[in-house]
C-alpha cells in the first residue's frame, strides 16, 4: 500500500508541476500582449483550465505570478545559452549557434522573448527593483563570446561587451515578434544567423576604396 501511495503522490506532484508550467506559459502570453496592469489573473486561470480561485493555490498574488514568469524568462534563456556555450567548437561557431538559438527561441517561446526584450532593452517600469535583481542572473553569451574572441585576437574590437550587445540588438531587429510591423523578411533561422555572421566578419564595406 505504501508503494502505491508514494506513486500516487509523485503523480499528483507531477500533475501540479505541469499545471504550474502551463499557468506560467499562459501568463507570459497575457503579460506580453497586455502588460502587467491590463493582464487579468482570472482570465489566465480560465485559459489555463483551472477555476478562478484555484490559481491562488499556485501563486498567491498576480505580482508573484509576474515575477515567477520573469524568472522563467531568464531560466529559459540561460538554458539555451548554456547548451551552446558548453559545446566544444570555435567561437565563431558558438556565435552563429547562439544567433540560431535566439531566432528559433522566437518561434517556440514568442511571449517570453517579448518580455525579455522589454527588460533587456526598453527598461519597462513594472517592479523594476525585483525584475532587475532577477535579470542579474541572465547570461549574456554574445558578450562572453566577443570578449573571449577579442582576448584571443579573433575579433578586433576595443569594446567587446558593447559589441556583443550591438550584435544582440541587430539580431532583435530580425525577430518578427519584436517588430510592430512585418519589417523583416521571414527567413529561416540559419539564414538570418549567417547574415549576421557575415555582417560581423565583413561589415557593409564592399572592399572597394571608400570615397
Amino acid at each position: 500500500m505504501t508503494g502505491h501511495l508514494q506513486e500516487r503522490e509523485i503523480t499528483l506532484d507531477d500533475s501540479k508541476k505541469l499545471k504550474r508550467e502551463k499557468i506560467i506559459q499562459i501568463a507570459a502570453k497575457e503579460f506580453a500582449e497586455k502588460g502587467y496592469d491590463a493582464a487579468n489573473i482570472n482570465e489566465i486561470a480560465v485559459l489555463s483550465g483551472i477555476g478562478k480561485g484555484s490559481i491562488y493555490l499556485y501563486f498567491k498574488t498576480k505580482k508573484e505570478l509576474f515575477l515567477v514568469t520573469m524568472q522563467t524568462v531568464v531560466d529559459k534563456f540561460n538554458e539555451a545559452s548554456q547548451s551552446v556555450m558548453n559545446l566544444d567548437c570555435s567561437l565563431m561557431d558558438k556565435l552563429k549557434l547562439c544567433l540560431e538559438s535566439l531566432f528559433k527561441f522566437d518561434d517556440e517561446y514568442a511571449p517570453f522573448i517579448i518580455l525579455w526584450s522589454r527588460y533587456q532593452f526598453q527598461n519597462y517600469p513594472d517592479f523594476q527593483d525585483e525584475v532587475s535583481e532577477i535579470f542579474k542572473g541572465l547570461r549574456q553569451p554574445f558578450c562572453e563570446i566577443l570578449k573571449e574572441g577579442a582576448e584571443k585576437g579573433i575579433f578586433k574590437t576595443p569594446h567587446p561587451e558593447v559589441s556583443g550587445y550591438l550584435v544582440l540588438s541587430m539580431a532583435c531587429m530580425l525577430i518578427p515578434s519584436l517588430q510592430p510591423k512585418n519589417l523583416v523578411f521571414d527567413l529561416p533561422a540559419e539564414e538570418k544567423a549567417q547574415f549576421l555572421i557575415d555582417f560581423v566578419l565583413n561589415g557593409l564595406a564592399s572592399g572597394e576604396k571608400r570615397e
Side-chain angles (χ1 to χ4, degrees):
M1 287 293 292
T2 303
H4 290 299
L5 286 173
Q6 288 177 339
E7 288 179 8
R8 184 170 182 272
E9 287 176 1
I10 292 172
T11 302
L12 288 173
D13 287 343
D14 289 344
S15 177
K16 187 173 182 179
K17 181 180 178 182
L18 290 173
K19 181 62 68 176
R20 188 174 188 273
E21 290 175 354
K22 184 175 182 180
I23 293 170
I24 292 171
Q25 288 179 340
I26 297 297
K29 187 172 185 294
E30 286 289 296
F31 291 133
E33 291 180 353
K34 301 176 182 178
Y36 176 81
D37 289 335
N40 189 303
I41 195 166
N42 290 333
E43 182 70 13
I44 292 171
V46 171
L47 292 173
S48 300
I50 61 176
K52 294 179 180 180
S54 298
I55 196 168
Y56 295 105
L57 298 174
Y58 298 88
F59 304 97
K60 294 179 182 179
T61 63
K62 179 180 171 183
K63 178 182 177 181
E64 180 185 341
L65 174 57
F66 178 77
L67 293 177
V68 170
T69 301
M70 297 308 297
Q71 181 63 60
T72 304
V73 171
V74 170
D75 292 343
K76 287 185 178 297
F77 270 87
N78 284 349
E79 287 171 11
S81 298
Q82 190 70 25
S83 66
V84 173
M85 298 302 287
N86 283 344
L87 295 174
D88 184 16
C89 60
S90 69
L91 290 175
M92 191 60 71
D93 285 341
K94 285 184 180 181
L95 184 60
K96 183 178 180 182
L97 289 169
C98 279
L99 287 166
E100 290 180 7
S101 178
L102 181 62
F103 294 135
K104 291 176 181 177
F105 197 93
D106 180 53
D107 294 335
E108 189 173 358
Y109 299 112
F112 291 99
I113 206 167
I114 291 171
L115 293 173
W116 161 79
S117 71
R118 287 178 182 169
Y119 285 88
Q120 178 81 41
F121 297 110
Q122 301 172 27
N123 197 28
Y124 262 52
D126 297 323
F127 311 113
Q128 278 194 348
D129 291 342
E130 292 97 327
V131 174
S132 293
E133 193 63 31
I134 291 171
F135 266 62
K136 285 181 181 178
L138 179 65
R139 192 167 184 178
Q140 302 292 347
F142 295 99
C143 298
E144 292 179 38
I145 291 169
L146 290 185
K147 183 178 181 181
E148 184 179 348
E151 292 171 351
K152 293 181 177 179
I154 298 172
F155 301 116
K156 187 178 181 181
T157 170
H159 306 292
E161 291 192 19
V162 174
S163 299
Y165 282 115
L166 286 174
V167 172
L168 180 58
S169 298
M170 288 189 292
C172 288
M173 293 179 67
L174 298 176
I175 296 176
S177 67
L178 299 184
Q179 303 301 326
K181 296 180 181 179
N182 188 18
L183 301 178
V184 296
F185 294 108
D186 188 17
L187 298 174
E190 293 80 4
E191 288 188 39
K192 287 190 282 191
Q194 189 59 54
F195 168 77
L196 284 176
I197 290 295
D198 292 340
F199 188 92
V200 170
L201 286 173
N202 306 313
L204 297 177
S206 65
E208 298 177 359
K209 185 177 180 180
R210 292 186 175 183
E211 294 293 327

